[in-house]
Amino acid sequence: MKVTAFIRETSAKNNITDQAHVYFRVRDGKTDIKAVSELSINPNHWSAERQGYKTRVALVAEAKRTAFDKAVQDLTALISAQYYHGADSRWLKGVIEEFHHSNINIRQGRKGDEYSLVYQCQQYAENHPMEKESIRHHEHNVRKLQHFERFALPPLLT
């Protein structure tokens, strides 16, 4: 299994404003998957051999070059560590997204039931003034939603 980083775009020799996104490619036997990351670099500064900045780029600060090269290496290592036989491009996109947004799947301390539609409807009914008839209709609709969640939806993975 081999993970490589590459860019697809090129630009004119003296163009310093163009940016190209870094793609990651995983090859393992018949598996060949690619996905784009949020990392970007000027195509004139990219070194395919180093998979990062060229060694002698004077227009970019040393700290920025080092941070970019480290991000490419870290992402490559993460992909290598999490790879499994049968992985597909959706998996690779998920790994890259998780790298860039590490807290994307965290509910930030909120309980799981706070994400359900039934819970939100009940909170709405409790916190907004309504006539008794409207409350009855609201409760009736909440019972229908509970029934639907219980019998029509597959169980959620936790």
Side-chain angles (χ1 to χ4, degrees), residues 6-105:
F6 67 96
I7 63 171
R8 290 185 173 172
E9 293 86 12
T10 59
S11 67
K13 185 174 182 178
N14 293 327
N15 189 341
I16 59 171
T17 59
D18 285 353
Q19 294 290 309
H21 286 285
V22 178
Y23 288 78
F24 287 86
R25 181 179 198 174
V26 178
R27 286 184 272 185
D28 184 27
K30 292 183 178 183
T31 303
D32 186 6
I33 53 179
K34 302 174 207 81
V36 67
S37 72
E38 294 179 17
L39 300 171
S40 61
I41 186 172
N42 184 300
N44 293 327
H45 299 163
W46 177 257
S47 169
E49 294 81 32
R50 295 187 73 232
Q51 294 184 10
Y53 273 98
K54 292 179 180 176
T55 54
R56 298 172 60 98
V57 175
L59 299 174
V60 180
E62 180 67 29
K64 183 178 178 183
R65 287 189 309 187
T66 305
F68 179 84
D69 290 345
K70 182 173 178 356
V72 171
Q73 292 170 1
D74 290 347
L75 188 48
T76 302
L78 179 67
I79 292 169
S80 296
Q82 292 189 7
Y83 176 76
Y84 62 92
H85 291 288
D88 58 359
S89 60
R90 198 170 73 203
W91 164 83
L92 184 57
K93 289 175 188 174
V95 171
I96 292 171
E97 186 174 288
E98 185 73 33
F99 175 80
H100 290 297
H101 308 283
S102 58
N103 59 355
I104 196 166
N105 292 324

Side-chain angles (χ1 to χ4, degrees), residues 117-126 128 130-145:
L117 183 59
V118 169
Y119 179 83
Q120 294 297 325
C121 289
Q122 289 171 340
Q123 290 300 311
Y124 180 82
E126 291 173 8
H128 289 79
M130 291 187 226
E131 296 292 325
K132 288 184 180 185
E133 190 66 25
S134 295
I135 292 172
R136 281 192 22 234
H137 287 292
H138 209 70
E139 290 171 350
H140 180 72
N141 289 334
V142 166
R143 283 194 303 275
K144 286 182 180 180
L145 285 170

